[in-house]
Amino acid sequence: MEPPVRLASTGTIIHGITVGEVLGVSTLAEAELIAGETGLGRIVQRLNVMEVPDILAWVKPHELLLTTGYPLRNTPQSLGRLVADLDERGLAALAIKLGRYVDELPGEMVEQADRLGFPLILLPNDVGFDDILNQVLTDILNRQAAMLVRAEEAHRALVQVVLAGGGLNEVTAEVSGLLDVAVAAVDGTGRVLAAAGPADHVAALRQGLGRLSGTAGSTPAFAWVPVVAGGHHHGRIVAHSPAGSIHDSDIGILERAATVAALVVTRQDAVNAVESKYRADFLRDVLTGRAGAAERVAARARAFGWDLERPVTVLVAELDPAGEERAAQDRLIVAWTGALRRHDARGAVAGFSNEVVAVLDAAVDAAKVARDAASAFADALPATFSTGTSRLCARPAALPEAYGQALKAARVGRQLHGPGAVAHFDQLGVYRLLSLVNDTEELHAFVRETLGPLAGDDDAENADLRRTLQVLLETNLNVAETARRLHFHYNTLRYRIGKLERLLGNFTADHHLRLNLTLALHVLRMRGI
């Protein structure tokens, strides 16, 4: 005989009601909870009817399973394992009619239900499954409809906040009022951008932020959802209730708030982009001497929150060649802006095509600001940048000269030390003078004429001899010290000196030739010339 046709599950419903609330409907007024009282808080989102023995293949989480025991009439021993199997699949509860096909439930089944907190409900015989299905489903759908209406009202209120020009402060205040909890908007680094709610609750929220992992999640006291705009995570919306009263429906409102917060972030990004362009254009004009009179420069700088009338230092951070320049440049601006704000709130900073320029108080440790920016930049991207620092600049009219010094220091520093170099203009020494020679062909010719065959790296022996020459010049022709540094025997070094003089001339006796050789070696060290 074919088994009766199985009733389909009632489908997926986002919200539901608890098992305890199910027992409160009128059709179940005479139903009896016989086990699993601790599971009355389980959520019912669907109802299903057990009409086949292999029901486990058909059930879904959060279902209330109804049965007469008909499928198990010939195998009552299966009841012993049924509770564990249903609990493992996430069902909410099992409601059964006794007396027609199954006379009683095994004690083992009742004990197991109590142990797992899985509600077992004894149904009245005079109540039809269709009445239960209709009434419970009506309650679930009404609950879901009410939640959707609440979420939609919240969304309209939040959108209205944005349309009225509100920002994250207004968004968090609106959500806090809707949910009666503390709410905060947090950026990607964990910094609170805006918060609302009772002061003690907000303080507890701030303290608990470090314990929240992932971009989304919930606990009885906390719930957090990501703020995503332009395909990027910009932080989280976090809610906190010391009483642990955050419900699933509240998560939906937080998600709506996150969507609106993303609109606020996008709008603010657009505003920041325009303001950033104006700041960059003005600072570029200042650094190139095209900004006008000193009084006008000072007034416009004050409008941007900058103080250019005090003694300052100019720093230039220039991206090293390699990598995705657009993404790296954007991150470089963010890293330097954050570093400058932490060390000098009235300092100026702006991004140009492939560099960032900062003007900060001369009393601030420029090297420390550069390290801070480098650390923030390295955390985000594998790219590097070189930094140059100017001399002290005492007045706005001298800023173009200071900018040129910082830019020169950054580029010469990279030529000397490679990517990621940090150099001060005053520490460049002779390289500062060499960098002023615009005709690089003339520098190449000077190197070839002075060093001859030692100018190239084609021959390993010539490169080795050049190294010997360099150490000799550094030690002021101290043969013993040079031999020690190069780990040569004294006689070996004397032989090499003789060979060098045959190639280059009598440099041990001619101090002018030694100067030329030293300059030529310095030019070779300046990479990129």
Side-chain angles (χ1 to χ4, degrees), residues 4 27 50 55 85 89 157 207 249 285 302 343 370 414 456 489 491:
T27 55
M50 181 180 181
I55 189 63
D85 289 337
R89 285 161 175 76
Q207 292 177 355
S249 59
D285 288 344
R302 284 193 295 271
H343 295 277
R414 182 191 296 114
H489 188 276
N491 291 334

Coordinates of all heavy atoms in Angstrom, one line a residue, residues 4 27 50 55 85 89 157 207 249 285 302 343 370 414 456 489 491:
P4 N 0.4 7.7 2.5 CA -0.4 8.9 2.1 C 0.5 9.9 1.6 O 1.7 10.0 1.9 CB -1.0 9.3 3.5 CG -0.9 8.1 4.3 CD 0.2 7.3 3.9
T27 N -6.6 26.9 19.3 CA -6.7 25.5 19.0 C -5.9 24.6 19.8 O -6.2 23.4 19.9 CB -6.4 25.3 17.5 OG1 -5.0 25.8 17.2 CG2 -7.3 26.0 16.6
M50 N 4.0 14.8 9.6 CA 4.8 13.6 9.4 C 3.8 12.5 9.0 O 3.0 12.0 9.8 CB 5.5 13.2 10.7 CG 6.3 11.9 10.6 SD 7.1 11.5 12.2 CE 7.9 10.0 11.8
I55 N 10.8 10.7 7.4 CA 10.5 12.1 7.5 C 11.8 13.0 7.5 O 11.8 14.1 7.1 CB 9.6 12.4 8.7 CG1 9.1 13.9 8.6 CG2 10.3 12.1 10.0 CD1 8.3 14.2 7.4
D85 N 17.3 12.8 16.4 CA 17.4 13.1 15.0 C 16.8 14.4 14.6 O 17.3 15.2 13.8 CB 16.8 12.0 14.2 CG 17.6 10.7 14.3 OD1 18.8 10.8 14.5 OD2 17.0 9.6 14.0
R89 N 18.6 18.2 13.4 CA 18.3 18.9 12.2 C 17.6 20.3 12.5 O 17.2 21.0 11.5 CB 17.3 18.1 11.3 CG 18.1 16.9 10.6 CD 17.2 15.9 10.2 NE 17.9 14.8 9.4 CZ 18.7 13.9 9.9 NH1 18.8 13.9 11.3 NH2 19.3 13.0 9.2
A157 N 12.0 56.5 8.0 CA 12.5 57.5 8.9 C 14.0 57.8 8.7 O 14.4 58.9 8.8 CB 12.2 57.0 10.3
Q207 N 33.3 49.8 25.3 CA 34.2 48.9 26.0 C 34.1 47.5 25.3 O 35.0 46.7 25.3 CB 33.9 48.8 27.5 CG 34.2 50.0 28.2 CD 33.8 50.0 29.7 OE1 33.2 49.0 30.1 NE2 34.1 51.0 30.5
S249 N 14.3 40.7 14.9 CA 13.7 41.8 14.1 C 14.5 43.1 14.2 O 14.5 43.9 13.3 CB 12.2 42.0 14.6 OG 12.3 42.4 16.0
D285 N 49.2 75.7 -5.4 CA 49.4 77.1 -5.7 C 50.4 77.8 -4.7 O 51.3 78.6 -5.1 CB 48.1 77.9 -5.8 CG 47.3 77.6 -7.0 OD1 47.8 77.0 -7.9 OD2 46.1 77.9 -7.0
R302 N 43.6 79.5 6.8 CA 42.8 79.4 8.1 C 41.5 78.8 7.8 O 40.9 78.1 8.6 CB 42.7 80.8 8.7 CG 44.0 81.2 9.4 CD 43.7 82.5 10.3 NE 43.3 83.6 9.5 CZ 44.2 84.5 9.0 NH1 45.5 84.4 9.2 NH2 43.8 85.6 8.3
H343 N 49.5 64.3 15.0 CA 50.7 65.0 15.5 C 50.5 66.6 15.4 O 51.2 67.3 16.1 CB 51.9 64.6 14.7 CG 52.3 63.2 14.9 ND1 53.0 62.7 16.0 CD2 52.0 62.0 14.2 CE1 53.2 61.4 16.0 NE2 52.5 61.0 14.9
A370 N 56.6 60.7 9.7 CA 56.8 59.9 8.6 C 56.7 58.4 8.9 O 56.2 57.6 8.1 CB 58.2 60.2 8.0
R414 N 65.8 58.3 -2.6 CA 65.5 57.0 -3.3 C 66.7 56.6 -4.1 O 67.0 55.4 -4.2 CB 64.2 57.2 -4.1 CG 63.8 55.9 -4.8 CD 62.7 56.1 -5.8 NE 61.5 56.6 -5.2 CZ 61.0 57.7 -5.4 NH1 61.6 58.6 -6.2 NH2 59.8 58.1 -4.9
G456 N 81.9 51.0 -15.4 CA 80.8 50.0 -15.7 C 80.9 48.7 -14.9 O 81.9 48.5 -14.2
H489 N 95.2 40.7 2.4 CA 96.6 40.8 2.9 C 97.2 42.1 2.5 O 96.9 42.7 1.4 CB 97.4 39.6 2.3 CG 98.8 39.5 2.9 ND1 99.9 40.2 2.5 CD2 99.2 38.7 3.9 CE1 100.9 39.9 3.2 NE2 100.6 39.0 4.1
N491 N 100.1 43.0 1.2 CA 100.8 42.9 -0.1 C 99.7 42.9 -1.2 O 100.0 43.5 -2.3 CB 101.7 41.8 -0.1 CG 102.9 41.9 0.8 OD1 103.3 43.1 1.1 ND2 103.5 40.8 1.2

